Amino acid sequence: MAGRWRRWNAAIHRDIGYLAAGLTIVYAVSGIAVNHVADWNPNYRLGERTYEVGPLDKGREESALAADLAARLQLKVPPRAAFQPDEDTLQLFTKEGTYSADLPTGKVVFQGLRPRPVLLAWNRLHLNAPKGLWTYLADLYALGLLALALTGILILKGPKGILGRGAWLAGIGAAIPAAFWAWWAWLR
Amino acid sequence: MLPRALLLVLAATLALRAGEWKNYGKNLTVKEETKISEILAHPDKYQGKKVKVRGVVTNVCPERGCYLNLKGDKKFQQLQFKVDDGVIVFPADAVGREAVAEGVVAVTTFSVAEQKEMCPIEAKALDPKFDPKKIKGPMKVVRLDGLGAELKN
């Protein structure tokens, strides 16, 4: 009887493991990617160019300034919109990115973001950007991980099982986040 | 033959979507729009109130898509619509598109310590002159705690 449930447990662990493998890779890779968001942009590559178009008369209306700047930059497609965050700066928004002009000097910096195709998709799924159906699929995956953890600790019996060496390792694994939280929340 | 038909269907779908509005977050419920300039002129009057505003997107969080700035109806003005990470994820290509956004007006004063802990990109979006090495004192911010938004394709 004991052997039968352990065989079922191993089979469930194995099959859920196969099912969860793909999404685990997605979550693991994007987890590392978004963890280091302070050091790099995991979703987009930033492209930057500079132009010199000559000083622009900042006394004019924003629309006139925008038309002048677009002409000097020889933009083939009209910008989506323009904005002056302050009196010395004019921004032109295009599909490809933003041109920011320093009006007194005429120096223009273009910044465009190009998506990192695979990572952007994985990160968006990780952060549940699609919402709706994806919320339930991600819940299902989380339940799968829970099942993997519970069935995993019961796979082996004997001295390497959860009543032996496994208890120590599982205890260390659980203690690491608990100890870190205690230090971070109350002791630091 | 089939790939061409698929491309035509895709092109037609994209053409139909142009000009459409796409919803992010909760559906909009407030009927009347409030001018951004009105909120910025009287933040205490609007603090804690749910409002709907309209404007061109001037900035989007390039890392997490967790905020967007909306151009005000008066010169040099913009208002930030902010959500917690992952609640709504705005695409970076929203910049320059028209948006209608709904949220609760929040007037917050960030202490020096809080500014040092802030995401520098978000802080710079709130104040383009923000420099974490040159924080002089508390920073008062008026923004929307975002609930939902619609972006024009």
Side-chain angles (χ1 to χ4, degrees):
Chain A
M1 187 66 187
R4 186 182 290 176
W5 80 255
R6 211 175 281 281
R7 271 201 301 278
W8 271 105
N9 183 70
I12 291 167
H13 186 84
R14 178 197 65 212
D15 287 353
I16 294 177
Y18 285 139
L19 284 169
L23 206 44
T24 302
I25 292 168
V26 168
Y27 273 81
V29 172
S30 66
I32 294 169
V34 298
N35 244 359
H36 297 275
V37 72
D39 306 312
W40 76 311
N41 188 329
N43 297 316
Y44 300 94
R45 281 194 186 90
L46 176 69
E48 200 167 289
R49 300 191 295 269
T50 56
Y51 302 83
E52 296 286 348
V53 297
L56 288 111
D57 175 12
K58 61 185 181 183
R60 289 176 290 166
E61 283 297 311
E62 184 185 277
S63 54
L65 271 172
D68 189 1
L69 180 59
R72 292 192 196 195
L73 288 166
Q74 298 180 325
L75 297 184
K76 287 174 185 151
V77 179
R80 286 173 168 174
F83 175 56
Q84 274 192 278
D86 56 62
E87 64 175 350
D88 285 341
T89 311
L90 175 70
Q91 294 177 322
L92 293 185
F93 306 122
T94 68
K95 192 181 171 191
E96 290 75 30
T98 299
Y99 294 86
S100 292
D102 182 58
L103 300 175
T105 62
K107 186 183 173 188
V108 181
V109 178
F110 169 82
Q111 289 188 317
L113 294 171
R114 278 190 304 124
R116 301 178 194 272
V118 175
L119 261 186
L120 174 71
W122 288 13
N123 296 337
R124 290 294 192 247
L125 290 176
H126 192 138
L127 295 173
N128 190 17
K131 310 284 182 217
L133 177 63
W134 184 252
T135 306
Y136 301 106
L137 289 171
D139 284 350
L140 206 60
Y141 170 70
L143 289 171
L145 285 186
L146 189 64
L148 278 178
L150 295 175
T151 54
I153 60 176
L154 296 173
I155 282 179
L156 289 181
K157 59 180 178 181
K160 289 185 178 173
I162 191 62
L163 297 176
R165 181 170 170 264
W168 286 100
L169 291 175
I172 291 169
I176 289 171
F180 183 86
W181 178 257
W183 168 77
W184 189 80
W186 301 303
L187 301 175
R188 73 189 168 117
Chain B
M1 190 64 190
L2 188 64
R4 186 181 288 181
L6 281 174
L7 279 176
L8 281 173
V9 170
L10 186 65
T13 309
L14 289 173
L16 281 172
R17 282 183 57 191
E20 274 183 8
W21 291 82
K22 187 174 178 190
N23 180 268
Y24 292 82
K26 292 183 179 169
N27 290 330
L28 308 187
T29 56
V30 178
K31 283 184 182 165
E32 279 192 26
E33 288 177 12
T34 306
K35 286 186 173 176
I36 288 174
S37 61
E38 170 70 11
I39 296 168
L40 294 175
H42 310 285
D44 295 331
K45 178 181 156 191
Y46 287 95
Q47 184 170 15
K49 288 189 179 159
K50 193 155 114 175
V51 296
K52 183 165 85 173
V53 296
R54 180 185 294 267
V56 166
V57 177
T58 60
N59 198 344
V60 176
C61 172
E63 311 280 357
R64 295 174 191 263
C66 62
Y67 67 75
L68 48 81
N69 286 5
L70 296 175
K71 179 180 175 177
D73 47 292
K74 286 193 177 168
K75 253 187 164 184
F76 312 139
Q77 287 187 340
Q78 53 184 333
L79 181 68
Q80 188 175 87
F81 172 100
K82 173 78 175 90
V83 292
D84 287 336
D85 283 356
V87 175
I88 301 174
V89 182
F90 290 109
D93 74 351
V95 173
R97 285 153 61 182
E98 190 180 356
V100 180
E102 201 169 280
V104 176
V105 177
V107 184
T108 315
T109 302
F110 292 99
S111 67
V112 172
E114 284 170 331
Q115 288 174 63
K116 283 179 181 169
E117 294 226 329
M118 265 178 107
C119 164
I121 297 168
E122 182 188 333
K124 200 134 181 107
L126 285 166
D127 175 8
K129 288 172 186 160
F130 177 84
D131 182 345
K133 291 172 190 162
K134 295 177 185 170
I135 298 170
K136 286 175 184 163
M139 174 168 66
K140 187 179 176 183
V141 169
V142 181
R143 63 181 175 184
L144 294 187
D145 287 337
L147 297 170
E150 289 181 356
L151 287 178
K152 196 172 186 181
N153 276 324

